[in-house]
Amino acid sequence: MSKEPVAIVGIGQTKHVAARHDVSIAGLVREAAARALADAELTWADIDAVVIGKAPDFFEGVMMPELYLADALGAVGKPMLRVHTAGSVGGSTALVASNLVAARVHRTVLTLAFEKQSESNAMWGLSLPVPFQQPLLAGAGGFFAPHVRAYMRRTGAPDTVGSLVAYKDRRNALKNPYAHLHEHDITLEKVQASPMLWDPIRYSETCPSSDGACAMILTDRAGAARSPKPAAWVHGGAMRSEPTLFAGKDFVSPQAGKDCAADVYRQAGITDPRREIDAVEMYVPFSWYEPMWLENLGFAAEGEGWKLTEAGVTELDGDLPVNPSGGVLSTNPIGASGMIRFAEAALQVRGQAAEHQVPDARRAMGHAYGGGAQFFAMWLVGAEEPTS
Amino acid sequence: MARHAREVAVVAFAQSDHLRRTDELSEVEMVMPVLHEVLAATGLKAGEIGFTCSGSSDYLAGRAFSFTMTLDGVGAWPPISESHVEMDGAWALYEAWVKIQTGEADTALVYSYGKSSPGSVRDVLTRQLDPYYVAPLWPDAVALAALQAQALIDTGETDEAALAAVGARSRDAAVANPHAQLRGPVPQGDYQVRPLRTGDCPPVGDGVAAVVLAAGDLARRLCERPAWITGIDHRIEAHSLGLRDLTDSPSTRLAAEHAGVFEAPVDTAELHAPFSSQEIVLRKALGLADDVAVNPSGGALAANPMMAAGLIRIGEAAARIHRGASRRAVAHATSGPCLQQNLVAVLEGDAR
């Protein structure tokens, strides 16, 4: 059976900041949604369904906030779905919305993901230990640092690679008006001199805690034909999950991530991702995850990812730019972070990324992961309508 | 049929016994036997399922990312194509149905679960209200349902005796349901919040439900009498109670129209009505005739495991079709205060 081609015709973000004291949660999400509608030159009445995602409800202290947000997102009288797949949720949410169009259940769908972390405390939101189970180890960094160290031991990567990624992403963020961190005086030396938090992860190699929302308008072929601006087209999308902890789990390069990427490439007809993909928006909350995911996603052979980073391949002017937007290292409203990756990939192939535009980007990848590196969501978008 | 591109059916349904407390069980331990049972009914293994989707709530579990642990109960290795909604499992089933409609999967495993016993569910549910203006007042779910019940009584659409009859009928029906939490004659009891008495309110309990979906001829191979989902839709209303007519459920009616409920008579209705008064509202919105068997399982008044009770309505309706006890059934699930969000599915057996 044939699927309906899915087009991204509207993208909206808030300016991400540590605390948006001027808006409620409803005000925050509406801002992003209204910008996406304006970008698509559509109105609330054009939207058939709303798909919303965010990370745990404890982050704002509201149980199932989609109920309260129905009015703010123009969802009254419409179908509204709430997705939650941990840190990958922003990506998963976009994929669920995309499937609604692909299945021809709805023609035009608003999808949005948000986090207003200033309403509560994300550290404690993640630290609710229950009996007979290891508590999260002082935030996500404590959980992931040992896996970074395992990567360094396994590949022999020099310990300078993490700071190169952070320095690059923070410089890229200066070109993105929506990015949270705008460190105008950033230098590589400053990154390297920042305090060690979870050895080997330094303060400047970690993501901030942001308030923010991201929205997209997805539509069918007819909707794309009416779009006043170029559409980005979904060429492939997939989710994969594996258990948190089990004997034989490869935390450095999880099988679910490899399988997810392989499924996306199969759908998109990609056989050599390193050559055929022009830009990647990758979920890198701690700098070392760039070389790790370069390998996991098939952009580099095992043990070789750090060499791409070190050689400048992933710089904005390199031949495989990674996180031209500044990435999660510069902007992290957790529940929205995955959708921002997906949306920034779409901006690139629409040619709408302004100062952080990769020249002639025709195909771009959006990537998200969550939980104990166990939930993956990815899509590949292109400037052309898919042929198959 | 052929409202949508692919024929999709519920081919198996399983549920736990719903219990007031399950202190000795983790969520994984609750979920696993039900998953094994529903897969065994089809002969499929976890690795052969095309898509898996679950529904649950971190606020009931009392910890963030609670579903990451429950995934262990599925046996997600090698990795699986999987997603999760922070909603009742009925919406997880909807997501899975959409996935099958895209052609990317031919089968789906859907499950949901909730343990309400560790906390006070009345208090917990206040946290899903508008966080700035309403939640700080801690109005609980029973109090809000009582407002709805009183509004119904004030319009003359029901009275306390009629409400009591709904509760009594539900728990009588539940005698035939070995999984139900409250069965047989149960005293109507004292007022909880006027006009609702204990018997008008759902029991608080823990439970799990799981369903397997399959497309087309595969469904016919896996199940003697597949329960075809010939229509499914869901709609949400405004959150604020002041913006809604609590005696009606326009979102249920709209979802029912889109699902095709009104195109032919139904013989069975499984309604997710945690309060007796809500059954009155839903009967009206769905235009149910007097001869329709409403909640032959006992419904949510006999067992209301949060996050699973809606999926159970779809499962119970499908199971009646599997048994040959129904030809065309409507199943309904709700979310939010006073029936804010509603899902409606039509399930049909093959003509025989």
Side-chain angles (χ1 to χ4, degrees):
Chain A
M1 61 170 289
S2 74
K3 282 191 289 184
E4 179 70 23
V6 181
I8 301 104
V9 295
I11 295 172
Q13 293 180 56
T14 58
K15 164 76 176 102
H16 305 284
V17 294
R20 277 293 298 270
H21 294 300
D22 61 321
V23 287
S24 64
I25 300 170
L28 183 78
V29 298
R30 193 170 171 92
E31 197 173 289
R35 283 178 185 164
L37 284 170
D39 184 30
E41 295 185 25
L42 295 174
T43 70
W44 298 100
D46 296 311
I47 301 300
D48 300 321
V50 177
V51 184
I52 183 171
K54 67 174 261 42
D57 293 5
F58 288 107
F59 280 4
E60 288 83 11
V62 187
M63 179 186 188
M64 300 162 78
E66 70 278 6
L67 296 164
Y68 139 73
L69 293 172
D71 304 63
L73 291 174
V76 172
K78 296 174 186 173
M80 186 173 196
L81 268 173
R82 159 73 192 287
V83 180
H84 181 10
T85 64
S88 66
V89 63
S92 307
T93 304
L95 291 174
V96 173
S98 171
N99 281 343
L100 281 168
V101 177
R104 301 191 176 92
V105 173
H106 295 297
R107 305 192 73 160
T108 303
V109 177
L110 167 67
T111 187
L112 178 139
F114 78 94
E115 208 72 74
K116 198 166 190 299
Q117 294 191 207
S118 65
E119 295 278 330
S120 177
N121 181 311
M123 175 86 170
W124 291 111
L126 279 177
S127 305
L128 294 159
V130 295
F132 315 119
Q133 182 183 301
Q134 66 168 5
L136 279 166
L137 308 165
F143 183 87
F144 290 117
H147 310 317
V148 170
R149 191 157 285 287
Y151 174 77
M152 296 168 75
R153 291 232 172 98
R154 194 187 284 189
T155 64
D159 59 10
T160 49
V161 171
S163 50
L164 291 175
V165 175
Y167 178 52
K168 166 186 68 95
D169 283 2
R170 296 277 162 79
R171 276 181 292 130
N172 288 352
L174 293 172
K175 299 175 186 292
N176 175 3
Y178 294 106
H180 176 175
L181 296 183
H182 281 160
E183 297 180 338
H184 293 280
D185 55 351
I186 188 81
T187 63
L188 184 59
E189 292 67 34
K190 278 189 181 171
V191 174
Q192 288 167 338
S194 68
M196 190 64 82
L197 286 189
W198 303 276
D199 194 356
I201 300 173
R202 293 183 180 279
Y203 177 78
S204 289
E205 295 169 2
T206 68
C207 48
S209 183
S210 315
D211 282 2
C214 179
M216 287 187 283
I217 313 291
L218 307 183
T219 191
D220 59 6
R221 185 183 272 139
R226 285 193 297 270
S227 172
K229 291 183 195 160
W233 295 90
V234 178
H235 288 216
M239 292 185 233
R240 286 293 184 283
S241 309
E242 66 183 43
T244 320
L245 303 165
F246 63 101
K249 169 146 177 158
D250 187 349
F251 278 100
V252 171
S253 189
Q255 188 64 38
K258 292 181 186 174
D259 291 359
C260 191
D263 191 0
V264 170
Y265 298 151
R266 180 190 55 76
Q267 292 173 41
I270 298 269
T271 54
D272 184 353
R274 170 88 165 80
R275 303 267 172 272
E276 295 174 75
I277 294 172
D278 302 319
V280 186
E281 281 284 344
M282 192 185 274
Y283 204 104
V284 179
F286 303 101
S287 60
W288 277 94
Y289 271 87
E290 177 179 296
M292 290 164 74
W293 293 145
L294 281 171
E295 295 172 28
N296 189 246
L297 298 175
F299 292 108
E302 221 162 285
E304 306 281 314
W306 62 270
K307 295 178 184 169
L308 296 193
T309 298
E310 199 177 47
V313 170
T314 59
E315 294 273 348
L316 186 48
D317 59 1
D319 76 44
L320 183 69
V322 174
N323 290 325
S325 68
V328 179
L329 276 175
S330 306
T331 305
N332 190 35
I334 295 178
S337 291
M339 189 171 286
I340 297 170
R341 307 278 71 71
F342 277 44
E344 286 284 351
L347 278 179
Q348 288 291 341
V349 300
R350 294 173 82 203
Q352 307 270 321
E355 270 196 76
H356 62 288
Q357 176 71 46
V358 173
D360 302 321
R362 307 299 291 170
R363 277 188 283 199
M365 187 167 190
H367 160 272
Y369 86 104
Q374 66 188 124
F375 300 113
F376 292 84
M378 303 171 201
W379 81 5
L380 195 126
V381 288
E384 313 286 343
E385 186 180 329
T387 47
S388 56
Chain B
M1 279 204 202
R3 176 185 298 271
H4 295 284
R6 301 190 86 186
E7 297 178 310
V8 177
V10 175
V11 294
F13 166 56
Q15 60 183 316
S16 63
D17 291 341
H18 307 296
L19 304 169
R20 178 62 187 89
R21 311 203 68 85
T22 52
D23 296 344
E24 72 287 3
L25 291 177
S26 72
E27 283 152 338
V28 180
E29 290 169 316
M30 273 175 57
V31 165
M32 272 188 76
V34 177
L35 295 182
H36 287 176
E37 186 185 337
V38 81
L39 288 173
T42 62
L44 294 170
K45 296 182 173 63
E48 297 169 328
I49 292 286
F51 182 64
T52 299
C53 198
S54 62
S56 67
S57 165
D58 279 348
Y59 258 83
L60 290 178
R63 59 152 297 176
F65 297 154
S66 55
F67 58 91
T68 63
M69 298 299 155
T70 330
L71 182 66
D72 291 356
V74 179
W77 186 259
I80 58 172
S81 174
E82 191 258 356
S83 186
H84 172 261
V85 296
E86 191 85 355
M87 306 179 81
D88 186 287
W91 279 267
L93 182 143
Y94 180 82
E95 185 182 327
W97 174 83
V98 171
K99 182 79 173 177
I100 295 175
Q101 288 298 334
T102 66
E104 290 172 9
D106 298 323
T107 53
L109 170 66
V110 179
Y111 66 97
S112 64
Y113 59 93
K115 284 180 73 150
S116 301
S117 61
S120 161
V121 72
R122 282 173 76 160
D123 290 338
V124 170
L125 286 178
T126 65
R127 303 299 91 193
Q128 67 176 206
L129 302 169
D130 178 318
Y132 304 101
Y133 296 111
V134 185
L137 304 173
W138 296 85
D140 72 48
V142 180
L144 298 178
L147 279 175
Q148 186 170 28
Q150 188 61 49
L152 270 179
I153 290 173
D154 290 347
T155 60
E157 292 187 59
T158 193
D159 55 31
E160 290 191 33
L163 295 181
V166 170
R169 195 209 70 242
S170 297
R171 282 154 191 150
D172 280 350
V175 169
N177 177 357
H179 303 287
Q181 187 176 336
L182 291 180
R183 283 174 282 174
V186 176
Q188 184 63 1
D190 299 326
Y191 286 115
Q192 293 293 306
V193 180
R194 280 179 187 271
L196 296 178
R197 295 176 183 268
T198 310
D200 294 304
C201 304
V204 174
D206 306 344
V208 181
V211 158
V212 175
L213 301 180
D217 287 340
L218 181 58
R220 294 183 181 91
R221 283 208 296 281
L222 295 174
C223 180
E224 193 183 341
R225 293 193 186 92
W228 301 105
I229 301 170
T230 57
I232 184 166
D233 193 61
H234 57 98
R235 301 280 155 167
I236 196 164
E237 294 177 35
H239 182 64
S240 168
L241 299 184
L243 294 174
R244 291 194 259 153
D245 175 0
L246 296 181
T247 68
D248 198 5
S249 182
S251 57
T252 299
R253 188 176 295 111
L254 191 57
E257 277 171 18
H258 282 268
V261 173
F262 306 125
E263 290 166 16
V266 297
D267 53 47
T268 299
E270 279 285 344
L271 308 179
H272 185 193
F275 297 92
S276 59
S277 42
Q278 294 179 341
E279 183 181 305
I280 311 277
V281 176
L282 293 169
R283 274 175 180 270
K284 183 172 66 171
L286 292 167
L288 297 181
D290 289 341
D291 62 350
V292 174
V294 175
N295 288 337
S297 67
L301 285 166
N304 187 43
M306 296 289 303
M307 316 315 288
L311 182 61
I312 291 170
R313 305 281 72 75
I314 298 175
E316 289 283 2
R320 267 172 83 81
I321 288 169
H322 295 163
R323 293 195 298 268
S326 168
R327 275 287 328 281
R328 189 170 194 268
V330 60
H332 160 270
T334 196
S335 177
C338 297
L339 303 173
Q340 186 194 346
Q341 187 175 20
N342 296 284
L343 178 146
V344 176
V346 177
L347 297 140
E348 295 186 46
D350 285 319
R352 60 176 61 224

